[in-house]
Amino acid sequence: PQCSLHFPPRSPGPNRHFLLGDHGRGVRRRAIQRLPPRADPPWMAGRASSVERVKERATGLDKFVLREARGSSAEVYLYGGQVTSWKNNSGEQQLFLSKKASFKPPKAIRGGIQICFPQQLGNHGVVEQHGFARNRLWSVDESPPLPDTTSDCHIDLILKQSEEDMKTWPHSYELRLQVALSPRGDLILTSRIKNKNADGKPFQFTFAYHTYFSVSDISEVRVEGLDTLDYHDNLQSKIRCTEQGDAVVFESEVDRIYLSAPPKIVTIDHEKKRTFVLRKKELPDVVVWNPWDRKAKAMPDFGAEEYKCMLCVGAARIEKPITLRPGEEWQGRQEISPV
């Protein structure tokens, strides 16, 4: 026996729309089904993102704890505007923080993500190395600009010049920082720097996110995306070299600034089977640093063996400093995704 199936005509409905092919000249329309948004897993029921201000008992410093509904989290101190912890959606720590880190001003916190501004400009400035933003007390930004992210889990901070800053860098500025967690667990840092000088003078600066990743074994880590690039080797009086390998691997101390790097850099931790994807905007350079054994032993806020479980890979703007006239603003962004 023969069977026939009859399907009644379907109306477009609220979740269907039609496209005209061949610029609409009598060609039959094709229906495109829009899938409904993926439902959150049952364990997320009733959970919401949160941002909480906490005073750390051990240090006496205020910090913000960001918790994204899907499980990722971050901790951001007002001191230094510094991220010190970032955990993925599975609760695994992604950033390195030295067990010997000092939380006593004016010492910078060793680890996490340091905000380096205004970086030292060779022989043209007297600002301390890596700038002063990482060892100043920031404030909550009460009137932040519109966010660049749709994340509902973020904190906005601001740093303005102090009398102490004016002694070494006589400029009026606003440095805004937004730290955000995406639903996927990405960590997004957006910085805005504005020239507020009333005397009409421009100022010049460099900038970097000094990002300490937690790794299993530095000898099992490789950084991809920097092959064939020129870099300044800080271990050889900043001479200009060219990367010869297809990836950067680590067998001794490394302190380099890779120039004009692509917008995406990948750090692979083979032992943990984990990958960090770093994306950046308006930050063309990349800092790569590991102190290795001899320098690690010489740093009072760094464990002698901790070089084995950390690596700095951060977006920067160093080779070509930024110049802002009064009223002008620069914006840079670094986004890190755990894979």
Side-chain angles (χ1 to χ4, degrees):
Q2 294 182 340
C3 296
S4 62
L5 298 178
H6 174 68
F7 295 95
R10 292 185 293 178
S11 62
N15 288 326
R16 295 176 63 85
H17 69 283
F18 291 93
L19 299 178
L20 276 173
D22 196 22
H23 304 289
R25 294 194 293 267
V27 180
R28 189 168 58 185
R29 294 177 174 181
R30 298 181 292 110
I32 306 296
Q33 179 72 45
R34 284 180 178 171
L35 297 177
R38 182 181 295 179
D40 290 329
W43 59 265
M44 272 191 60
R47 295 186 62 171
S49 300
S50 65
V51 179
E52 180 184 9
R53 184 168 182 164
V54 177
K55 183 175 286 293
E56 181 68 46
R57 289 185 179 181
T59 64
L61 299 176
D62 284 0
K63 67 180 180 181
F64 287 88
V65 180
L66 284 64
R67 297 184 179 91
E68 214 285 326
R70 290 161 181 76
S72 65
S73 66
E75 296 183 5
V76 188
Y77 276 80
L78 283 177
Y79 180 62
Q82 187 159 337
V83 179
T84 58
S85 172
W86 168 44
K87 296 180 180 179
N88 63 14
N89 286 346
S90 300
E92 300 168 329
Q93 182 61 256
Q94 310 295 290
L95 297 179
F96 166 83
L97 182 67
S98 175
K99 294 178 181 179
K100 299 178 71 175
S102 172
F103 288 81
K104 296 180 180 179
K107 186 71 175 177
I109 302 170
R110 177 69 71 183
I113 303 178
Q114 297 178 349
I115 306 298
C116 300
F117 164 86
Q119 288 259 68
Q120 188 175 16
L121 298 177
N123 298 323
H124 304 291
V126 293
V127 178
E128 61 190 274
Q129 187 181 22
H130 301 315
F132 47 67
R134 63 180 188 156
N135 50 26
R136 294 291 187 268
L137 189 62
W138 294 49
S139 303
V140 177
D141 192 349
E142 302 293 350
S143 55
L146 292 175
D148 281 348
T149 173
T150 57
S151 167
D152 60 353
C153 187
H154 62 267
I155 183 66
D156 292 277
L157 305 180
I158 189 169
L159 180 69
K160 298 181 180 181
Q161 79 283 354
S162 66
E163 291 184 6
E164 184 179 357
D165 299 340
M166 296 290 283
K167 295 176 183 177
T168 57
W169 203 64
H171 299 290
S172 179
Y173 68 90
E174 285 180 349
L175 168 51
R176 285 184 155 92
L177 171 68
Q178 182 182 88
V179 180
L181 290 170
S182 78
R184 297 185 306 173
D186 303 337
L187 180 65
I188 306 164
L189 279 74
T190 305
S191 294
R192 294 175 172 87
I193 298 169
K194 188 171 186 178
N195 184 335
K196 301 285 287 185
N197 280 338
D199 57 8
K201 292 182 179 179
F203 62 61
Q204 191 178 67
F205 63 93
T206 57
F207 184 92
Y209 290 118
H210 206 45
T211 306
Y212 290 72
F213 287 112
S214 173
V215 300
S216 55
D217 181 349
I218 187 63
S219 63
E220 297 294 325
V221 174
R222 57 191 280 131
V223 181
E224 298 183 349
L226 302 174
D227 50 300
T228 73
L229 294 184
D230 285 356
Y231 63 88
H232 291 304
D233 191 337
N234 292 329
L235 301 180
Q236 301 185 61
S237 302
K238 299 183 180 181
I239 65 170
R240 193 174 182 119
C241 307
T242 301
E243 179 57 54
Q244 301 295 327
D246 59 352
V248 181
V249 295
F250 303 89
E251 299 175 343
S252 59
E253 182 182 357
V254 171
D255 189 355
R256 300 172 183 171
I257 302 168
Y258 285 84
L259 310 174
S260 301
K264 184 175 79 171
I265 304 298
V266 177
T267 301
I268 301 171
D269 186 340
H270 290 288
E271 188 167 315
K272 282 189 176 179
K273 295 180 173 61
R274 183 168 69 183
T275 299
F276 300 108
V277 178
L278 185 152
R279 295 178 175 87
K280 55 193 180 69
K281 291 183 180 179
E282 296 300 322
L283 294 162
D285 307 323
V286 172
V287 174
V288 179
W289 179 71
N290 183 286
W292 219 250
D293 54 351
R294 186 170 60 86
K295 188 165 288 184
K297 294 175 182 177
M299 293 189 291
D301 59 347
F302 195 92
E305 299 295 318
E306 287 185 328
Y307 74 93
K308 297 178 181 178
C309 58
M310 59 74 61
L311 174 64
C312 282
V313 179
R317 177 78 177 260
I318 296 177
E319 185 188 29
K320 298 178 180 178
I322 304 144
T323 299
L324 293 180
R325 293 188 293 268
E328 290 184 335
E329 182 179 81
W330 170 85
Q331 179 177 321
R333 174 184 169 108
Q334 173 179 281
E335 178 177 338
I336 316 170
S337 305
V339 179

